Amino acid sequence: MKRYVFALLGAFSLSACAQNPGASDTAAAATPATPAPAAIEAPAGSPAAEARDAILSINPRVSIESVSDAALPGFQEVVVSGQVLYVSNDGRYVLQGSLFDAREKRDLSQAGLSKLRQRLLSEVPEDQRIIFAPANPKYTVSVFTDVECGYCRRLHEEIAEYNKRGIAIEYLAYPRMGPGSDDFRLMESVWCAADRKKALTDAKAGRRVDSKACENPVAAHYALGQRAGLTGTPMIIAADGTQMPGYMPPDQLLEALQRLDGEAAGGSR
């Protein structure tokens, strides 16, 4: 029975391409990260408290981002390490997976994650991002990127096309090989460069980037990506926290953002 519990909660701290198995644990531990969320406060005996305590009883080391009433009657929605769980109000049962509304044809699990991503990204100052934007952008997306990822490079090769369509790209760092890796150090050098935009473009094109050290946000971005539920790069997130399905060519991304706009307008009427 215990192996099923570990399978459930063992995934809380993992991301599919988050860490190179060869990266040293010492280096990872030495790398500063964003602070873990504060403990969720709830009145003793309340459904939120029961749900929180149920998760912590299985793994006391996980960081719970939020607990709220779920759309599923009798359950709480718990967001943990970028994943959504449903815990019965008495704390006995835990469900893992998407909650799909067949009538509305939408994944209700994504709503809580979108709010979380929106909140986390709002805490990242503009000067910690590398921004490629047109003069008057119609849309702005945040993109967790890596310099070694093929689709990240492809997206960046088309950066001018995204900008022509009125889309601003705001990059955050997510070196997939993990803390202590050459990939991680290269991205730190990019963020420490005098001209970050040129350095990022050079790194993605395989050109040499001078090694530099400074106070930088790469470790914080990496930790943030894990909390936001990152499973692959590039991770494209719309202004409302909606995650796009990986790399999207300029026209497809524009269509997706326009569709989100239309859905938001329809929902407000």
Side-chain angles (χ1 to χ4, degrees), residues 130-180:
I130 299 179
I131 300 172
F132 290 80
N136 297 294
K138 298 176 183 176
Y139 301 101
T140 298
V141 296
S142 298
V143 180
F144 283 91
T145 193
D146 179 34
V147 294
E148 302 292 344
C149 151
Y151 277 110
C152 297
R153 289 182 170 185
R154 184 172 174 182
L155 186 154
H156 195 68
E157 288 169 358
E158 299 175 291
I159 200 73
E161 294 302 316
Y162 291 103
N163 288 172
K164 283 180 183 177
R165 287 157 179 78
I167 303 171
I169 305 290
E170 299 193 350
Y171 282 123
L172 293 89
Y174 197 88
R176 297 177 305 158
M177 302 302 285

Side-chain angles (χ1 to χ4, degrees), residues 16-44:
C17 57
Q19 179 75 38
N20 173 20
S24 74
D25 293 336
T26 302
T31 303
T34 52
I40 299 296
E41 295 185 1

Side-chain angles (χ1 to χ4, degrees), residues 45-128:
S46 67
E50 294 292 341
R52 175 200 63 200
D53 295 345
I55 297 301
L56 294 177
S57 73
I58 300 171
N59 187 341
R61 294 181 298 173
V62 299
S63 296
I64 299 173
E65 299 282 354
S66 65
V67 180
S68 58
D69 291 336
L72 184 64
F75 280 79
Q76 297 292 298
E77 180 182 274
V78 185
V79 179
V80 182
S81 298
Q83 298 183 56
V84 176
L85 301 174
Y86 297 95
V87 183
S88 59
N89 285 344
D90 62 3
R92 180 173 180 179
Y93 301 105
V94 180
L95 301 176
Q96 183 178 27
S98 296
L99 180 62
F100 194 81
D101 186 326
R103 183 177 299 172
E104 298 292 332
K105 302 295 189 293
R106 63 192 184 98
D107 184 350
L108 300 178
S109 306
Q110 289 303 310
L113 285 176
S114 292
K115 290 179 183 177
L116 169 64
R117 296 186 194 107
Q118 191 176 39
R119 175 173 61 81
L120 292 176
L121 289 169
S122 71
E123 298 169 2
V124 181
E126 185 176 305
D127 64 3
Q128 289 187 4

